Amino acid sequence: MNSKNVTPKEAAAALEKEGKKVITFIIKQHWYDEILAGRKPKEYRELKPTTLKKLVKLDKNGDLLLDENENAIPIHYDAMLLFVGYNKVRDSALVEITGEKEEVLRDENGEEIFEVLEDGSRFYPSQIAYDLGRVLCKEVHPKK
């Protein structure tokens, strides 16, 4: 899959043809460079109403499926297709995902962040943390 003639997008399509699951994210150049250099072992995505269907398992009513610890169950993906920004010509990479889990957001003191809702209940914002493995394929364009 590291062939110079195969783009990350084509490599992702080949994985999906094999029955593997690939998730696509837009990231900033700095984080892309850190991932390629092996200095950023995780990629995070906040759970929001607009991202739930893409990131976590839901029941037939659209409610979160929870594990035995009351955590949302992330959808398992085999790889992550990353694009830098929104330009047509941009760096991209296909990166292996070795694990994923929900993490509740914490403040600078390590305390869980929460909001009190109108009904008095607490809402704890969270994110999915993806453990990154090997860079399977990359496409880097010259910088102007």
Side-chain angles (χ1 to χ4, degrees):
M1 202 174 302
N2 264 336
S3 169
K4 290 187 178 202
N5 298 329
V6 178
T7 68
K9 189 173 182 179
E10 292 166 340
L15 279 181
E16 289 175 328
K17 201 170 185 181
E18 295 172 9
K20 306 271 184 175
K21 291 187 75 168
V22 178
I23 190 165
T24 301
F25 292 132
I26 304 296
I27 63 172
K28 294 185 177 188
Q29 185 73 51
H30 170 76
W31 299 122
Y32 173 85
D33 294 340
E34 291 293 299
I35 289 168
L36 289 189
R39 292 187 295 264
K40 187 172 191 286
K42 293 182 183 273
E43 179 64 17
Y44 302 91
R45 284 298 182 270
E46 188 175 348
L47 286 178
K48 303 181 216 176
T50 56
T51 62
L52 287 178
K53 282 195 279 186
K54 184 177 181 178
L55 302 178
V56 295
K57 294 182 179 181
L58 305 173
D59 67 15
K60 63 183 177 189
N61 298 322
D63 296 322
L64 289 174
L65 288 176
L66 302 175
D67 65 15
E68 64 279 355
N69 298 316
E70 298 292 310
N71 292 318
I73 302 169
I75 295 171
H76 171 71
Y77 289 96
D78 299 290
M80 184 179 293
L81 179 58
L82 300 171
F83 290 103
V84 176
Y86 294 92
N87 289 332
K88 188 170 183 167
V89 177
R90 56 192 172 171
D91 293 351
S92 60
L94 183 64
V95 181
E96 175 183 45
I97 296 175
T98 59
E100 59 278 317
K101 70 176 184 172
E102 180 191 28
E103 295 180 349
V104 174
L105 299 179
R106 297 179 180 275
D107 64 18
E108 59 279 349
N109 299 318
E111 300 292 322
E112 291 183 346
I113 296 170
F114 65 88
E115 300 170 30
V116 178
L117 303 178
E118 287 181 16
D119 64 4
S121 64
R122 291 182 177 185
F123 169 72
Y124 293 85
S126 65
Q127 63 190 3
I128 301 300
Y130 294 96
D131 297 319
L132 303 178
R134 299 173 293 131
V135 175
L136 303 172
C137 187
K138 66 184 178 181
E139 184 174 39
V140 179
H141 295 277
K143 305 298 178 261
K144 293 181 180 182

